mmCIF file of all heavy atoms in Angstrom:
data_model
loop_
_atom_site.group_PDB
_atom_site.id
_atom_site.type_symbol
_atom_site.label_atom_id
_atom_site.label_comp_id
_atom_site.label_asym_id
_atom_site.label_seq_id
_atom_site.Cartn_x
_atom_site.Cartn_y
_atom_site.Cartn_z
ATOM 1 N N PRO F 109 6.571 -122.819 19.968
ATOM 2 C CA PRO F 109 7.054 -121.442 20.058
ATOM 3 C C PRO F 109 7.553 -121.052 21.437
ATOM 4 O O PRO F 109 8.324 -120.119 21.539
ATOM 5 C CB PRO F 109 5.810 -120.608 19.712
ATOM 6 C CG PRO F 109 4.891 -121.568 18.947
ATOM 7 C CD PRO F 109 5.163 -122.927 19.548
ATOM 8 N N HIS F 110 7.089 -121.770 22.483
ATOM 9 C CA HIS F 110 7.492 -121.333 23.835
ATOM 10 C C HIS F 110 8.479 -122.268 24.497
ATOM 11 O O HIS F 110 8.665 -122.270 25.689
ATOM 12 C CB HIS F 110 6.214 -121.250 24.692
ATOM 13 C CG HIS F 110 5.233 -120.315 24.172
ATOM 14 N ND1 HIS F 110 5.374 -118.918 24.078
ATOM 15 C CD2 HIS F 110 3.982 -120.541 23.631
ATOM 16 C CE1 HIS F 110 4.302 -118.364 23.559
ATOM 17 N NE2 HIS F 110 3.492 -119.312 23.241
ATOM 18 N N ASP F 111 9.161 -123.117 23.746
ATOM 19 C CA ASP F 111 10.179 -124.043 24.233
ATOM 20 C C ASP F 111 11.353 -123.249 24.708
ATOM 21 O O ASP F 111 12.065 -122.596 23.938
ATOM 22 C CB ASP F 111 10.576 -125.010 23.172
ATOM 23 C CG ASP F 111 11.531 -126.054 23.730
ATOM 24 O OD1 ASP F 111 12.697 -125.738 24.031
ATOM 25 O OD2 ASP F 111 11.119 -127.249 23.825
ATOM 26 N N HIS F 112 11.653 -123.232 26.005
ATOM 27 C CA HIS F 112 12.695 -122.393 26.580
ATOM 28 C C HIS F 112 14.073 -122.764 26.000
ATOM 29 O O HIS F 112 14.945 -121.906 25.757
ATOM 30 C CB HIS F 112 12.745 -122.586 28.078
ATOM 31 C CG HIS F 112 11.503 -122.208 28.775
ATOM 32 N ND1 HIS F 112 11.294 -122.369 30.143
ATOM 33 C CD2 HIS F 112 10.318 -121.719 28.306
ATOM 34 C CE1 HIS F 112 10.076 -121.937 30.473
ATOM 35 N NE2 HIS F 112 9.442 -121.561 29.400
ATOM 36 N N ASN F 113 14.386 -124.037 25.879
ATOM 37 C CA ASN F 113 15.649 -124.482 25.368
ATOM 38 C C ASN F 113 15.946 -124.012 23.960
ATOM 39 O O ASN F 113 17.022 -123.499 23.654
ATOM 40 C CB ASN F 113 15.747 -125.943 25.471
ATOM 41 C CG ASN F 113 15.509 -126.479 26.869
ATOM 42 O OD1 ASN F 113 16.277 -126.317 27.768
ATOM 43 N ND2 ASN F 113 14.298 -127.057 27.047
ATOM 44 N N LEU F 114 14.953 -124.187 23.062
ATOM 45 C CA LEU F 114 15.126 -123.763 21.705
ATOM 46 C C LEU F 114 15.174 -122.229 21.638
ATOM 47 O O LEU F 114 15.971 -121.702 20.813
ATOM 48 C CB LEU F 114 13.907 -124.237 20.882
ATOM 49 C CG LEU F 114 13.847 -125.764 20.646
ATOM 50 C CD1 LEU F 114 12.478 -126.154 20.050
ATOM 51 C CD2 LEU F 114 14.983 -126.170 19.687
ATOM 52 N N GLN F 115 14.452 -121.547 22.427
ATOM 53 C CA GLN F 115 14.515 -120.045 22.471
ATOM 54 C C GLN F 115 15.913 -119.570 22.765
ATOM 55 O O GLN F 115 16.453 -118.704 22.128
ATOM 56 C CB GLN F 115 13.522 -119.503 23.532
ATOM 57 C CG GLN F 115 12.089 -119.673 23.146
ATOM 58 C CD GLN F 115 11.138 -119.195 24.259
ATOM 59 O OE1 GLN F 115 11.565 -119.184 25.399
ATOM 60 N NE2 GLN F 115 9.926 -118.889 23.939
ATOM 61 N N GLN F 116 16.487 -120.209 23.788
ATOM 62 C CA GLN F 116 17.841 -119.755 24.255
ATOM 63 C C GLN F 116 18.930 -120.118 23.224
ATOM 64 O O GLN F 116 19.818 -119.326 22.939
ATOM 65 C CB GLN F 116 18.159 -120.380 25.562
ATOM 66 C CG GLN F 116 17.291 -119.792 26.700
ATOM 67 C CD GLN F 116 17.473 -120.533 27.997
ATOM 68 O OE1 GLN F 116 18.515 -120.437 28.629
ATOM 69 N NE2 GLN F 116 16.475 -121.358 28.397
ATOM 70 N N GLU F 117 18.775 -121.238 22.632
ATOM 71 C CA GLU F 117 19.820 -121.659 21.612
ATOM 72 C C GLU F 117 19.613 -120.748 20.347
ATOM 73 O O GLU F 117 20.623 -120.460 19.667
ATOM 74 C CB GLU F 117 19.674 -123.122 21.239
ATOM 75 C CG GLU F 117 20.065 -124.086 22.404
ATOM 76 C CD GLU F 117 21.454 -123.749 22.877
ATOM 77 O OE1 GLU F 117 22.396 -123.653 22.055
ATOM 78 O OE2 GLU F 117 21.638 -123.647 24.138
ATOM 79 N N TYR F 118 18.394 -120.402 20.039
ATOM 80 C CA TYR F 118 18.155 -119.490 18.940
ATOM 81 C C TYR F 118 18.875 -118.159 19.173
ATOM 82 O O TYR F 118 19.536 -117.630 18.293
ATOM 83 C CB TYR F 118 16.668 -119.297 18.731
ATOM 84 C CG TYR F 118 16.242 -118.577 17.501
ATOM 85 C CD1 TYR F 118 16.247 -119.202 16.274
ATOM 86 C CD2 TYR F 118 15.789 -117.264 17.596
ATOM 87 C CE1 TYR F 118 15.866 -118.548 15.091
ATOM 88 C CE2 TYR F 118 15.389 -116.560 16.424
ATOM 89 C CZ TYR F 118 15.431 -117.250 15.194
ATOM 90 O OH TYR F 118 15.004 -116.571 14.073
ATOM 91 N N LEU F 119 18.713 -117.653 20.362
ATOM 92 C CA LEU F 119 19.390 -116.397 20.738
ATOM 93 C C LEU F 119 20.876 -116.546 20.688
ATOM 94 O O LEU F 119 21.584 -115.641 20.125
ATOM 95 C CB LEU F 119 18.947 -115.980 22.156
ATOM 96 C CG LEU F 119 17.604 -115.381 22.341
ATOM 97 C CD1 LEU F 119 17.249 -115.252 23.805
ATOM 98 C CD2 LEU F 119 17.496 -114.022 21.655
ATOM 99 N N ALA F 120 21.408 -117.666 21.186
ATOM 100 C CA ALA F 120 22.824 -117.859 21.158
ATOM 101 C C ALA F 120 23.406 -117.909 19.769
ATOM 102 O O ALA F 120 24.452 -117.398 19.457
ATOM 103 C CB ALA F 120 23.212 -119.149 21.914
ATOM 104 N N THR F 121 22.611 -118.519 18.843
ATOM 105 C CA THR F 121 23.027 -118.624 17.432
ATOM 106 C C THR F 121 22.992 -117.254 16.734
ATOM 107 O O THR F 121 23.898 -116.880 15.971
ATOM 108 C CB THR F 121 22.143 -119.567 16.679
ATOM 109 O OG1 THR F 121 22.150 -120.867 17.417
ATOM 110 C CG2 THR F 121 22.632 -119.850 15.326
ATOM 111 N N LEU F 122 21.953 -116.461 17.044
ATOM 112 C CA LEU F 122 21.856 -115.124 16.523
ATOM 113 C C LEU F 122 23.084 -114.268 16.979
ATOM 114 O O LEU F 122 23.672 -113.460 16.193
ATOM 115 C CB LEU F 122 20.588 -114.381 16.946
ATOM 116 C CG LEU F 122 19.295 -114.865 16.291
ATOM 117 C CD1 LEU F 122 18.099 -114.218 16.970
ATOM 118 C CD2 LEU F 122 19.318 -114.603 14.798
ATOM 119 N N ILE F 123 23.484 -114.496 18.201
ATOM 120 C CA ILE F 123 24.663 -113.750 18.694
ATOM 121 C C ILE F 123 25.927 -114.134 17.949
ATOM 122 O O ILE F 123 26.717 -113.290 17.541
ATOM 123 C CB ILE F 123 24.844 -113.965 20.226
ATOM 124 C CG1 ILE F 123 23.746 -113.259 20.992
ATOM 125 C CG2 ILE F 123 26.220 -113.489 20.704
ATOM 126 C CD1 ILE F 123 23.708 -113.590 22.488
ATOM 127 N N ARG F 124 26.080 -115.418 17.716
ATOM 128 C CA ARG F 124 27.283 -115.891 16.935
ATOM 129 C C ARG F 124 27.223 -115.332 15.544
ATOM 130 O O ARG F 124 28.258 -115.151 14.923
ATOM 131 C CB ARG F 124 27.316 -117.431 16.942
ATOM 132 C CG ARG F 124 27.862 -117.976 18.216
ATOM 133 C CD ARG F 124 29.337 -117.581 18.421
ATOM 134 N NE ARG F 124 29.914 -118.198 19.602
ATOM 135 C CZ ARG F 124 30.604 -119.312 19.626
ATOM 136 N NH1 ARG F 124 30.738 -119.997 18.514
ATOM 137 N NH2 ARG F 124 31.109 -119.759 20.763
ATOM 138 N N LEU F 125 26.067 -115.147 14.969
ATOM 139 C CA LEU F 125 25.931 -114.599 13.647
ATOM 140 C C LEU F 125 26.027 -113.058 13.593
ATOM 141 O O LEU F 125 25.945 -112.456 12.516
ATOM 142 C CB LEU F 125 24.612 -115.076 13.018
ATOM 143 C CG LEU F 125 24.482 -116.543 12.622
ATOM 144 C CD1 LEU F 125 23.083 -116.894 12.300
ATOM 145 C CD2 LEU F 125 25.400 -116.859 11.483
ATOM 146 N N GLN F 126 26.199 -112.503 14.799
ATOM 147 C CA GLN F 126 26.310 -111.065 14.954
ATOM 148 C C GLN F 126 25.073 -110.284 14.496
ATOM 149 O O GLN F 126 25.110 -109.186 14.039
ATOM 150 C CB GLN F 126 27.551 -110.522 14.252
ATOM 151 C CG GLN F 126 28.897 -111.145 14.824
ATOM 152 C CD GLN F 126 30.100 -110.566 14.167
ATOM 153 O OE1 GLN F 126 30.075 -109.634 13.395
ATOM 154 N NE2 GLN F 126 31.207 -111.244 14.414
ATOM 155 N N ARG F 127 23.901 -110.976 14.634
ATOM 156 C CA ARG F 127 22.642 -110.324 14.289
ATOM 157 C C ARG F 127 22.037 -109.748 15.552
ATOM 158 O O ARG F 127 21.069 -110.180 16.122
ATOM 159 C CB ARG F 127 21.731 -111.401 13.674
ATOM 160 C CG ARG F 127 22.181 -111.792 12.283
ATOM 161 C CD ARG F 127 21.388 -112.995 11.729
ATOM 162 N NE ARG F 127 19.923 -112.797 11.762
ATOM 163 C CZ ARG F 127 19.108 -113.664 11.293
ATOM 164 N NH1 ARG F 127 19.489 -114.759 10.685
ATOM 165 N NH2 ARG F 127 17.794 -113.401 11.360
ATOM 166 N N TYR F 128 22.699 -108.686 16.032
ATOM 167 C CA TYR F 128 22.391 -108.142 17.366
ATOM 168 C C TYR F 128 20.990 -107.476 17.418
ATOM 169 O O TYR F 128 20.287 -107.653 18.456
ATOM 170 C CB TYR F 128 23.465 -107.116 17.753
ATOM 171 C CG TYR F 128 24.863 -107.739 17.751
ATOM 172 C CD1 TYR F 128 25.917 -107.114 17.057
ATOM 173 C CD2 TYR F 128 25.108 -108.938 18.416
ATOM 174 C CE1 TYR F 128 27.180 -107.689 17.071
ATOM 175 C CE2 TYR F 128 26.392 -109.488 18.432
ATOM 176 C CZ TYR F 128 27.383 -108.858 17.731
ATOM 177 O OH TYR F 128 28.645 -109.459 17.700
ATOM 178 N N LYS F 129 20.576 -106.845 16.409
ATOM 179 C CA LYS F 129 19.215 -106.271 16.384
ATOM 180 C C LYS F 129 18.182 -107.371 16.472
ATOM 181 O O LYS F 129 17.121 -107.219 17.158
ATOM 182 C CB LYS F 129 18.995 -105.356 15.160
ATOM 183 C CG LYS F 129 19.782 -104.109 15.144
ATOM 184 C CD LYS F 129 19.492 -103.250 13.951
ATOM 185 C CE LYS F 129 20.183 -101.883 13.975
ATOM 186 N NZ LYS F 129 21.653 -102.040 14.053
ATOM 187 N N ASP F 130 18.408 -108.450 15.776
ATOM 188 C CA ASP F 130 17.465 -109.584 15.811
ATOM 189 C C ASP F 130 17.438 -110.266 17.199
ATOM 190 O O ASP F 130 16.452 -110.747 17.651
ATOM 191 C CB ASP F 130 17.840 -110.628 14.750
ATOM 192 C CG ASP F 130 17.580 -110.152 13.354
ATOM 193 O OD1 ASP F 130 16.722 -109.260 13.195
ATOM 194 O OD2 ASP F 130 18.260 -110.629 12.419
ATOM 195 N N VAL F 131 18.592 -110.228 17.892
ATOM 196 C CA VAL F 131 18.623 -110.754 19.242
ATOM 197 C C VAL F 131 17.656 -109.994 20.154
ATOM 198 O O VAL F 131 16.836 -110.527 20.886
ATOM 199 C CB VAL F 131 20.068 -110.738 19.848
ATOM 200 C CG1 VAL F 131 20.025 -111.059 21.334
ATOM 201 C CG2 VAL F 131 20.986 -111.641 19.130
ATOM 202 N N VAL F 132 17.742 -108.681 20.049
ATOM 203 C CA VAL F 132 16.940 -107.817 20.892
ATOM 204 C C VAL F 132 15.432 -107.969 20.515
ATOM 205 O O VAL F 132 14.562 -108.099 21.429
ATOM 206 C CB VAL F 132 17.365 -106.347 20.734
ATOM 207 C CG1 VAL F 132 16.378 -105.418 21.516
ATOM 208 C CG2 VAL F 132 18.818 -106.142 21.231
ATOM 209 N N ILE F 133 15.114 -107.960 19.229
ATOM 210 C CA ILE F 133 13.782 -108.155 18.799
ATOM 211 C C ILE F 133 13.154 -109.457 19.298
ATOM 212 O O ILE F 133 12.074 -109.536 19.838
ATOM 213 C CB ILE F 133 13.651 -108.022 17.289
ATOM 214 C CG1 ILE F 133 13.965 -106.594 16.815
ATOM 215 C CG2 ILE F 133 12.265 -108.448 16.818
ATOM 216 C CD1 ILE F 133 14.095 -106.475 15.319
ATOM 217 N N TYR F 134 13.898 -110.551 19.108
ATOM 218 C CA TYR F 134 13.435 -111.831 19.519
ATOM 219 C C TYR F 134 13.289 -111.952 21.063
ATOM 220 O O TYR F 134 12.291 -112.536 21.579
ATOM 221 C CB TYR F 134 14.261 -112.978 18.922
ATOM 222 C CG TYR F 134 13.734 -114.323 19.263
ATOM 223 C CD1 TYR F 134 12.552 -114.751 18.692
ATOM 224 C CD2 TYR F 134 14.346 -115.238 20.156
ATOM 225 C CE1 TYR F 134 11.962 -115.998 18.976
ATOM 226 C CE2 TYR F 134 13.848 -116.459 20.439
ATOM 227 C CZ TYR F 134 12.619 -116.841 19.838
ATOM 228 O OH TYR F 134 12.123 -118.020 20.164
ATOM 229 N N ALA F 135 14.304 -111.440 21.757
ATOM 230 C CA ALA F 135 14.262 -111.509 23.185
ATOM 231 C C ALA F 135 13.057 -110.772 23.732
ATOM 232 O O ALA F 135 12.320 -111.253 24.668
ATOM 233 C CB ALA F 135 15.537 -110.943 23.826
ATOM 234 N N ASP F 136 12.780 -109.592 23.221
ATOM 235 C CA ASP F 136 11.581 -108.858 23.619
ATOM 236 C C ASP F 136 10.313 -109.604 23.325
ATOM 237 O O ASP F 136 9.348 -109.634 24.142
ATOM 238 C CB ASP F 136 11.564 -107.464 22.998
ATOM 239 C CG ASP F 136 12.578 -106.531 23.580
ATOM 240 O OD1 ASP F 136 13.041 -106.727 24.726
ATOM 241 O OD2 ASP F 136 12.911 -105.457 22.931
#
């Protein structure tokens, strides 16, 4: 759950999917 690389790629993928609310929720 705390793997930095996977976290960042997950965020990048959410951005590409235009799931902006999910980006904010997961980043927080």
Side-chain angles (χ1 to χ4, degrees):
H110 303 291
D111 185 291
H112 301 177
N113 305 287
L114 290 169
Q115 288 173 341
Q116 292 172 72
E117 292 306 311
Y118 189 76
L119 286 169
T121 307
L122 287 174
I123 289 172
R124 281 295 183 93
L125 289 169
Q126 299 181 13
R127 290 172 52 177
Y128 303 127
K129 290 182 175 62
D130 290 333
V131 171
V132 174
I133 291 169
Y134 184 67
D136 284 340

